[in-house]
Amino acid sequence: MSLYLHVDMDSFFASVEQQANPTLRGKPVGVTGGTGPRAVVVAASIEAKKQGVKTPTILAKAKLICPDFVPIWGDFEKYIFIHHQILKIFEKYTATVSVFSIDEAFLEVSRTARRFGGAQKIAELIKREFRGKLGERITCSIGIAPSRALSKLASKINKPDGVFVINQRNQKEILKTTAVESLCGVGFKTKKKLNQLGIVTAQDLGCYSLRGLIRRFGVNGYFLHALGRGEDLKGQEEENKIDCEKSFGHQYTFPENLDYQSSKDRAELKAKLFELCEGAARRMRRKNLACRTISLRIRFYNFSSFSRDKSFKCCFFSTEDVYQKASVLLDEAAPSFPLRLIGISLSTLTRECSQKSLFLKEQQKKNLSEALDDINSRWGELTVKTGHSLLSDGRGVFRESAFQRKFRA
Amino acid sequence: MQQKINEKVNVLVGFREKKFKPLAFYWQNRKRKIEKINLTYTAKTGRHDFYYFSVTSAGDYYKFCFDVTKMTWTLEETSF
């Protein structure tokens, strides 16, 4: 029988900050990407959550809900280092660790549980090691169950710093009382559609006919059906492997709205667009991938959004090509309202471009990209930059250096 | 609250079993003993390695950065 542990770090970024700085302990702390009124709180401490601060939320809103709220500028190098320490601890207990996100992972312990005295004992040992090696403030909640779907559900039940086991005895009861939106993979829109079918709890979902779900959700019906029954779909693990990227993207919220119609703002907008293209394209190249589709996303001052995708016959990988195509999309959209956010995404990934090209120009482009990537990897992001990005704030896509380092080959 | 300092400082360091840790530092003409190391991590800028230490001294928080290439210590921030 399969046995999984789902380890979910409690308020990860905020806990790391509280561990580093004891004067922040006991205070409602939140990690942000800035300090301006538009900064977004990406993680809130347990104290802040208790006072009603949910994440992600805008800093101004968090301060309104909780006047004592302490914003901390996120230090992603720190979080990624702790993430690696955590993975090292996990690897002592099983070789099958599947990283779900920076603060979540699944551990398949079916074959190793007995050696350590059971899955609950492993959970206990992991918690003890966290306290000893990382610090007393960095805690986690662990769910133990026979499937990944159920272990993820279990880790939510006894938060923070708890352990919860779902087994054959209590599985039915838990699925009966679990709202369908609590399941991993059911978002707001899916919940709405499920509710329309009369599906409110996980048990309702599991009992609903597979054919009916497929009719309503297409191929996702299989996934939902399994989810409602507390089972995993075969091949789902492969999907979550870190090598299975489907897209690379970045987005950025400007400190102030920018007007595309003004030439000064447009130049600034394009400079940031170039940085986003550089960040996404570089990550893609690191995986020896190229893309065929580019998507542009814009959010206007009133929070309405606009997105446009374009697919091409030929694949492309260089920052220059990505930027050129993104720039055309932006010019075609020519937004007449002030913008607050811009983002790009590269998808329909392929390895075709990784082979040597017969055309000299393409090969030159590839060589140049590789040389620039080497220099920037060695000396730091944006060591060599093009004139396009000079107008930008020069911070680059700062998350690139931290979050994506773990995905490097 | 945290305050950025970014000042080069002298730090007394202890070495033990292939590991090192800051023991005390000199700042504002005073020697301050490090009571507890709360968190350590390493980071890179390009291929330059940096060691970071978040410590407690007399109830206050300090964060140091050790630049391996230049062999310098910087007091990056403190609580006030």
Side-chain angles (χ1 to χ4, degrees):
Chain A
M1 196 182 90
S2 297
L3 197 53
Y4 289 89
L5 259 73
H6 176 252
V7 183
D8 187 6
M9 303 306 294
D10 300 322
S11 305
F12 183 49
F13 298 167
S15 297
V16 171
E17 292 301 338
Q18 287 180 321
Q19 176 59 40
N21 183 354
T23 62
L24 295 175
R25 295 179 194 176
K27 290 181 184 168
V29 173
V31 172
T32 68
T35 48
R38 284 184 176 184
V40 175
V41 179
V42 292
S45 68
I46 294 163
E47 296 84 358
K49 282 179 184 168
K50 274 183 190 164
Q51 293 195 38
V53 177
K54 286 178 184 171
T55 53
T57 188
I58 293 167
L59 179 57
K61 198 176 165 190
K63 280 191 170 169
L64 213 65
I65 296 168
C66 171
D68 303 331
F69 187 77
V70 184
I72 304 285
W73 192 301
D75 179 353
F76 293 94
E77 297 281 1
K78 197 190 293 176
Y79 311 143
I80 204 75
F81 181 84
I82 302 293
H83 168 80
H84 282 295
Q85 299 294 102
I86 290 168
L87 291 188
K88 274 185 196 164
I89 293 173
F90 291 163
E91 280 161 8
K92 284 185 188 173
Y93 300 100
T94 175
T96 326
V97 178
S98 171
V99 177
F100 195 63
S101 71
I102 191 166
D103 64 344
E104 283 180 68
F106 290 99
L107 281 69
E108 212 254 82
V109 294
S110 323
R111 275 161 287 184
T112 56
R114 196 188 286 175
R115 197 187 315 153
F116 294 97
Q120 268 176 285
K121 187 72 187 168
I122 292 180
E124 207 179 288
L125 291 170
I126 286 174
K127 281 173 170 288
R128 195 184 299 166
E129 281 207 55
F130 279 8
R131 272 194 297 274
K133 292 190 174 157
L134 309 175
E136 63 277 16
R137 286 296 303 192
I138 301 175
T139 60
C140 64
S141 300
I142 302 180
I144 304 169
S147 70
R148 290 158 63 98
L150 285 178
S151 66
K152 177 126 172 73
L153 183 64
S155 69
K156 279 188 199 170
I157 295 175
N158 200 1
K159 258 184 167 299
D161 202 15
V163 178
F164 193 85
V165 184
I166 296 181
N167 50 30
Q168 281 178 331
R169 265 174 289 159
N170 61 3
Q171 180 177 337
K172 267 192 179 174
E173 195 54 41
I174 285 164
L175 290 177
K176 203 171 157 184
T177 52
T178 299
V180 78
E181 64 270 26
S182 301
L183 298 171
C184 177
V186 178
F188 176 73
K189 284 184 181 170
T190 310
K191 178 211 159 191
K192 218 171 153 184
K193 286 179 190 170
L194 288 170
N195 287 169
Q196 282 167 358
L197 297 175
I199 299 168
V200 183
T201 67
Q203 193 190 40
D204 297 343
L205 182 60
C207 294
Y208 204 85
S209 82
L210 174 62
R211 197 175 288 176
L213 288 172
I214 292 169
R215 202 179 303 133
R216 187 75 179 88
F217 297 96
V219 74
N220 262 344
Y222 288 104
F223 166 71
L224 290 169
H225 188 68
L227 198 63
R229 297 158 64 93
E231 293 166 1
D232 298 328
L233 272 186
K234 275 189 182 171
Q236 202 178 329
E237 285 174 37
E238 291 299 313
E239 284 262 314
N240 288 324
K241 275 195 178 168
I242 52 177
D243 278 338
C244 294
E245 282 97 348
K246 291 190 177 110
S247 65
F248 295 90
H250 282 296
Q251 59 181 32
Y252 181 80
T253 303
F254 295 100
E256 282 170 13
N257 293 337
L258 292 183
D259 185 2
Y260 175 85
Q261 305 301 333
S262 133
S263 59
K264 185 177 163 283
D265 283 6
R266 189 161 60 236
E268 203 178 318
L269 198 60
K270 290 209 168 179
K272 185 46 81 178
L273 182 65
F274 183 83
E275 273 184 12
L276 299 174
C277 292
E278 160 72 5
R282 206 168 129 205
R283 283 172 52 210
M284 182 175 73
R285 288 194 295 267
R286 202 172 285 145
K287 289 281 174 186
N288 273 329
L289 292 168
C291 65
R292 289 186 201 281
T293 304
I294 184 163
S295 314
L296 175 77
R297 185 171 176 237
I298 289 169
R299 188 177 291 158
F300 295 107
Y301 71 104
N302 57 1
F303 285 90
S304 61
S305 293
F306 164 90
S307 65
R308 180 69 48 90
D309 304 340
K310 198 164 185 178
S311 292
F312 298 85
K313 275 186 183 171
C314 296
C315 55
F316 48 97
F317 54 85
S318 74
T319 303
E320 203 55 47
D321 282 349
V322 171
Y323 171 70
Q324 200 188 3
K325 288 172 170 62
S327 188
V328 168
L329 281 182
L330 180 65
D331 290 336
E332 279 173 4
S336 47
F337 301 113
L339 317 179
R340 60 178 288 131
L341 176 145
I342 189 164
I344 65 134
S345 172
L346 308 173
S347 52
T348 325
L349 303 173
T350 166
R351 289 197 188 272
E352 274 176 43
C353 289
S354 60
Q355 57 187 300
K356 281 209 176 259
S357 171
L358 290 172
F359 304 103
L360 186 63
K361 206 176 167 191
E362 277 299 299
Q363 194 56 44
Q364 280 174 340
K365 212 184 274 178
K366 195 160 188 269
N367 293 345
L368 178 65
S369 293
E370 281 173 5
L372 292 177
D373 289 350
D374 274 352
I375 295 169
N376 286 330
S377 297
R378 179 167 184 171
W379 301 105
E381 197 186 356
L382 294 178
T383 300
V384 179
K385 54 186 172 189
T386 65
H388 290 298
S389 56
L390 287 177
L391 265 177
S392 184
D393 54 16
R395 282 179 63 207
V397 187
F398 77 99
R399 280 162 296 194
E400 195 273 344
S401 61
F403 274 124
Q404 273 69 48
R405 182 166 294 153
K406 71 172 172 162
F407 298 127
R408 281 187 194 175
Chain B
M1 286 296 281
Q2 290 172 196
Q3 189 184 8
K4 294 275 172 209
I5 305 288
N6 282 329
E7 229 177 272
K8 292 270 182 293
V9 287
N10 289 326
V11 177
L12 279 176
V13 179
F15 288 84
R16 194 180 177 187
E17 288 170 3
K18 293 182 185 175
K19 284 185 179 173
F20 73 101
K21 63 175 189 177
L23 303 172
F25 64 102
Y26 296 88
W27 187 52
Q28 292 179 336
N29 301 320
R30 262 183 63 199
K31 181 182 174 183
R32 293 157 202 260
K33 195 183 165 202
I34 291 170
E35 283 140 19
K36 196 181 173 199
I37 296 174
N38 305 312
L39 192 87
T40 60
Y41 68 97
T42 59
K44 274 175 181 276
T45 297
R47 285 186 191 167
H48 280 229
D49 287 319
F50 297 91
Y51 283 77
Y52 291 90
F53 295 86
S54 297
V55 305
T56 305
S57 171
D60 289 325
Y61 153 80
Y62 299 90
K63 182 180 169 185
F64 294 98
C65 172
F66 176 59
D67 183 336
V68 179
T69 316
K70 294 180 183 165
M71 299 287 275
T72 54
W73 286 87
T74 308
L75 173 58
E76 292 216 324
E77 60 187 31
T78 182
S79 58
F80 63 90

